[in-house]
Amino acid sequence: MKKLSSMEEFNSMKSEGKHIFMFSADWCPDCRVIDPVLPEIEENNSKYTFVYVDRDEFIDLCADLGVFGIPSFVAFDNGKELGRYVSKDRKTKEQIEEFIQGL
């Protein structure tokens, strides 16, 4: 999974193509629980580019998007928000895939 490196990169990616931004942090235990299933989720949903967003590095972006719990997912298609799965609760592989299928 690609890691977001700048706000310029976020704005560019958000505006062009299909992206799912995963908001997370190294210290988040609920985020680490889903780490082993993320490669399979990415492979099964290859029409999207998945991007890891470190909540601590991009706290202003989190505030702008209303992402106050992690792990959370926000999907964009050519600048349009397709959907979001934002909460502080632990997420299962099935819940994440259900979110993506509903986009």
Side-chain angles (χ1 to χ4, degrees), residues 49-96:
T49 301
F50 288 76
V51 183
Y52 177 93
V53 181
D54 187 301
R55 177 197 122 2
D56 295 335
E57 288 180 40
F58 293 96
I59 194 72
D60 291 340
L61 175 59
C62 291
D64 290 346
L65 292 175
V67 175
F68 297 110
I70 54 175
S72 286
F73 300 83
V74 181
F76 287 91
D77 182 2
N78 293 319
K80 179 180 181 243
E81 184 177 317
L82 293 178
R84 54 180 47 226
Y85 188 15
V86 175
S87 73
K88 63 178 177 43
D89 299 327
R90 181 173 286 184
K91 292 153 185 75
T92 66
K93 175 182 178 237
E94 293 75 21
Q95 289 171 319
I96 296 166

Side-chain angles (χ1 to χ4, degrees), residues 10 13-21 23 48-49 61 65 74-84 103:
F10 171 78
M13 294 174 105
K14 174 182 91 164
S15 299
E16 294 181 25
K18 292 183 174 204
H19 294 83
I20 295 178
F21 296 91
F23 293 82
Y48 295 99
T49 301
L61 175 59
L65 292 175
V74 181
F76 287 91
D77 182 2
N78 293 319
K80 179 180 181 243
E81 184 177 317
L82 293 178
R84 54 180 47 226
L103 294 173

Side-chain angles (χ1 to χ4, degrees), residues 5-66:
S5 60
S6 69
M7 278 303 298
E8 292 79 16
E9 184 179 42
F10 171 78
N11 289 324
S12 173
M13 294 174 105
K14 174 182 91 164
S15 299
E16 294 181 25
K18 292 183 174 204
H19 294 83
I20 295 178
F21 296 91
M22 183 186 95
F23 293 82
S24 185
D26 291 341
W27 52 262
C28 167
D30 290 339
C31 303
R32 301 293 65 83
V33 166
I34 61 172
D35 278 349
V37 299
L38 288 173
E40 184 180 345
I41 291 171
E42 284 185 82
E43 187 178 312
N44 292 340
N45 298 282
S46 59
K47 67 181 176 180
Y48 295 99
T49 301
F50 288 76
V51 183
Y52 177 93
V53 181
D54 187 301
R55 177 197 122 2
D56 295 335
E57 288 180 40
F58 293 96
I59 194 72
D60 291 340
L61 175 59
C62 291
D64 290 346
L65 292 175

